[in-house]
Structure formats: C-alpha cells, structure tokens
C-alpha cells in the first residue's frame, strides 16, 4: 500500500469529531478489545486499543489506515487485520512510544504502509 498509514482511508467517510473511545474493535477473525484513545489529526490519526485479557491486557497502537470501516450506530471499528497480525505487531508502551517517530515508522512498515508519522 502506498497510502499514509496515519490517515483514515478516503474510501469511507470518517465523521470528524466522532469520539471513538469505548468502541469495540473487530479483527477479521474476532474481537480484540476496545478503543482507549484515538487521534483524528491529519497525518497523525490512530487508535490505541486496550486488548483486555486477549493478549494479557496490553495496548496496541493501530494506524488509522488499518481501519476498514466504522459502524457508529453499533460503536464498532472493523480492521483488515487478523488477531495474529495484531498480536505480532511491534510491542507498544504508551509512555515511551506514542510520540516516538521511529516507533511510528516501525508500526507503519509492519502493517505495510508508508511511514509519514506526522508532526509529533
């Protein structure tokens, strides 16, 4: 893919201002948790997902471009990723990695996108 990982896909209309906190997150093969934090900034859009007991309570950072659709009525986010892909993603520590450009580039590369970590 050549799109910037840190932008929502132009193929669906993300409604700017929608608070995604608490939305359930669905991988291709099942639920992975709920949105704990999100950003809708241009070139810096992402969701932080609390995976609960699924992967021992760790959080994962997902670039906005990994989201295939958002169902506002059901408060669910759908991903083009499998649970295994998410579980094997670079380990995320919010205090250390959220604003770290090198980590963002690593995550974007892992998910097959260009970096473009945006202004941090």
């Amino acid at each position: 893919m050549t799109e910037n990982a840190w932008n929502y896909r132009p193929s669906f209309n993300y409604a700017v201002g929608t608070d995604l906190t608490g939305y359930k997150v669905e991988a291709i093969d099942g639920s992975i948790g709920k949105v704990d934090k999100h950003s809708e900034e241009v070139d810096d859009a992402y969701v932080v997902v609390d995976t609960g007991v699924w992967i021992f309570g760790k959080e994962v950072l997902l670039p906005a471009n990994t989201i295939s659709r958002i169902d506002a009525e059901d408060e669910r986010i759908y991903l083009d990723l499998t649970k295994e892909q998410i579980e094997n993603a670079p380990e995320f520590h919010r205090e250390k990695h959220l604003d770290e450009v090198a980590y963002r580039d690593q995550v974007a590369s892992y998910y097959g996108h260009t970096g473009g970590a945006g202004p941090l």
Side-chain angles (χ1 to χ4, degrees), residues 19-96:
D19 184 4
L20 301 177
T21 305
Y23 276 41
K24 293 179 181 170
V25 182
E26 301 286 333
I28 293 169
D29 52 352
S31 180
I32 66 158
K34 294 196 302 189
V35 175
D36 189 47
K37 177 178 175 58
H38 78 101
S39 168
E40 62 184 13
E41 297 296 320
V42 174
D43 294 334
D44 190 30
Y46 60 83
V47 292
V48 174
V49 179
D50 180 349
T51 63
V53 296
W54 173 58
I55 44 179
F56 307 110
K58 84 175 198 178
E59 292 182 318
V60 293
L61 176 69
L62 298 172
N65 204 284
T66 62
I67 298 171
S68 61
R69 70 183 175 99
I70 297 172
D71 184 336
E73 188 174 312
D74 248 359
E75 295 191 351
R76 289 186 190 272
I77 292 173
Y78 294 88
L79 309 171
D80 279 348
L81 306 169
T82 65
K83 287 181 168 185
E84 182 178 17
Q85 287 174 299
I86 296 162
E87 188 172 16
N88 293 329
E91 191 169 335
F92 174 67
H93 298 284
R94 187 190 297 223
E95 302 78 29
K96 179 180 179 183

Side-chain angles (χ1 to χ4, degrees), residues 98-120:
L98 192 58
D99 295 325
E100 185 179 290
V101 174
Y103 176 78
R104 297 281 192 100
D105 288 344
Q106 181 184 12
V107 168
S109 177
Y110 174 79
Y111 289 118
H113 299 281
T114 59
L120 298 179

Side-chain angles (χ1 to χ4, degrees), residues 1-6 105 108-109 112-117:
M1 294 187 140
T2 59
E3 299 103 358
N4 181 313
W6 306 100
D105 288 344
S109 177
H113 299 281
T114 59

